[in-house]
Amino acid sequence: MQNGQVKMVQVTGLRKKFGRRMVLRDVNFAFSTGDVIGLVGPNGAGKTTIMKGLMGLLAMDAGNVRILGQPVSVNTHTVVTQQVGALIERPAIYPFLTGWQHLQLMTTSEEQVRWVVQALQMEAYIHRPAKRYSLGMKQKLGIAMALVNCPRLVILDEPMNGLDPQSVKRLRHLIGQLAGDGTTFLISSHILSELEKIIDTVILIDQGEVLLQRTMTQLRESTRQALVVRTTENARGLQVLLQADYPVAQRGSNLIVTKPVALTPLLRTLLDAHIQILKVNQRQEDLETVLLRLLAERKA
């Protein structure tokens, strides 16, 4: 607890083995009401196992989960039923029911059903049987089922799968709107370029361990800036800069200088070699680059 407030989610010492394989190793993290958390990591890192543990869908070998201060396990998950909405792995859809009927199974409020259908722009097909839905339509229905009861915590596993760019943008806007009203989100996604637009905090998981939990502000403060240079002769430019001891590599049609350097001497080195410079700009690492670097450093 912090400042006398109960954390939305508190995970302590979570461990899980499947056979001989240790999937979760003493996982610890916590976050507060209204936060939008990104849970990221390579395939097989343990993200879905953590989400199932939070929902009380999977028995853990050790550790505990609390949501709003109440314990969650396979035998104790009243708080999950009342306060949590989730889409994990894939939507649980009955092919012969319409989308509207699926949502009616989740809530008695027709007003809430109308709200979520409109928010996700599902009006054109919501009364069709779900067996006639495309992948994107099914994904939207799964998200709608997670949101329709206005839960205090929403857990979404790869929610952008199958969505077109317009639907992804609309989902981002809706998550931001609901988070502003106090809904907490835990989102796992491999589409990090989209995820970094909406999350406040990132939790990086690898091989069942939490490598870091940082706010996006903290993460941006630790990002590296690269200098991007394009010339008329990149291959020769690369050799000239390497001979001058610059930390440089060629990627595609650009030369990337990976550590802070004084710009004027670098450009003078190229010009003195009679290499024409076409473009120079600075690029800050994005979320994907930072996380891949952190994973690589861990394995080095």
Side-chain angles (χ1 to χ4, degrees):
M1 288 193 292
Q2 189 176 10
N3 299 329
Q5 293 183 337
V6 176
K7 289 284 187 184
M8 172 58 70
V9 170
Q10 182 88 45
V11 172
T12 310
L14 221 54
R15 288 170 140 197
K16 179 65 181 176
K17 274 177 106 174
F18 290 124
R20 293 184 177 180
R21 188 165 72 94
M22 184 70 79
V23 180
L24 299 181
R25 309 165 188 266
D26 292 317
V27 169
N28 299 278
F29 61 81
F31 50 86
S32 302
T33 300
D35 287 350
V36 182
I37 309 296
L39 183 65
V40 301
N43 287 333
K47 302 183 296 295
T48 301
T49 303
I50 288 171
M51 289 179 156
K52 287 182 176 179
L54 287 175
M55 292 293 295
L57 298 174
L58 194 61
M60 295 291 117
D61 298 327
N64 62 72
V65 174
R66 289 184 175 272
I67 295 177
L68 290 168
Q70 298 183 44
V72 175
S73 68
V74 288
N75 300 315
T76 312
H77 46 253
T78 305
V79 68
V80 172
T81 308
Q82 295 175 347
Q83 306 286 0
V84 183
L87 169 60
I88 298 179
E89 293 187 310
R90 64 183 65 87
I93 288 175
Y94 302 98
F96 296 101
L97 293 184
T98 67
W100 188 274
Q101 288 169 328
H102 279 86
L103 295 171
Q104 285 181 314
L105 292 175
M106 309 299 295
T107 181
T108 57
S109 170
E110 198 155 307
E111 183 182 349
Q112 282 303 117
V113 175
R114 282 196 299 271
W115 163 76
V116 80
V117 167
Q118 185 177 14
L120 291 168
Q121 293 197 352
M122 302 167 66
E123 296 95 333
Y125 54 86
I126 195 65
H127 294 291
R128 292 186 209 163
K131 66 177 182 176
R132 290 166 50 195
Y133 282 16
S134 67
L135 175 62
M137 291 174 184
K138 288 176 181 175
Q139 190 72 359
K140 277 193 188 180
L141 179 56
I143 294 166
M145 290 164 68
L147 296 176
V148 69
N149 261 332
C150 294
R152 294 181 64 182
L153 171 64
V154 179
I155 299 173
L156 299 174
D157 189 8
E158 300 292 347
M160 296 159 195
N161 272 4
L163 298 187
D164 59 70
Q166 192 177 18
S167 296
V168 169
K169 185 176 180 180
R170 191 174 300 117
L171 177 60
R172 282 202 325 258
H173 175 75
L174 181 58
I175 289 171
Q177 198 175 41
L178 293 172
D181 292 336
T183 305
T184 308
F185 285 86
L186 178 67
I187 305 170
S188 173
S189 178
H190 285 102
I191 310 175
L192 299 184
S193 58
E194 290 296 336
L195 195 63
E196 73 176 314
K197 294 173 185 174
I198 52 174
I199 61 174
D200 308 307
T201 299
V202 62
I203 298 173
L204 175 60
I205 307 285
D206 187 35
Q207 297 176 13
E209 295 180 283
V210 176
L211 295 195
L212 65 84
Q213 177 174 351
R214 290 186 198 163
T215 66
M216 289 302 293
T217 302
Q218 291 170 331
L219 207 59
R220 287 187 184 109
E221 286 171 355
S222 67
T223 58
R224 296 174 181 172
Q225 287 195 335
L227 193 64
V228 181
V229 181
R230 183 177 297 175
T231 75
T232 52
E233 301 176 76
N234 278 346
R236 193 160 73 87
L238 177 66
Q239 293 308 312
V240 167
L241 291 176
L242 286 172
Q243 285 169 8
D245 291 327
Y246 282 101
V248 62
Q250 185 170 354
R251 290 184 200 155
S253 58
N254 294 317
L255 300 176
I256 311 293
V257 182
T258 53
K259 292 180 183 176
V261 297
L263 179 60
T264 302
L266 181 141
L267 298 181
R268 177 56 55 195
T269 301
L270 291 170
L271 292 171
D272 287 348
H274 306 290
I275 295 170
Q276 186 180 350
I277 298 160
L278 300 176
K279 182 186 80 168
V280 180
N281 61 19
Q282 282 199 322
R283 179 188 297 164
Q284 193 161 18
E285 290 179 319
D286 59 14
L287 178 62
E288 182 173 17
T289 306
V290 175
L291 297 182
L292 286 173
R293 172 165 60 80
L294 291 169
L295 287 170
E297 287 170 359
R298 179 177 191 252
K299 291 168 183 174

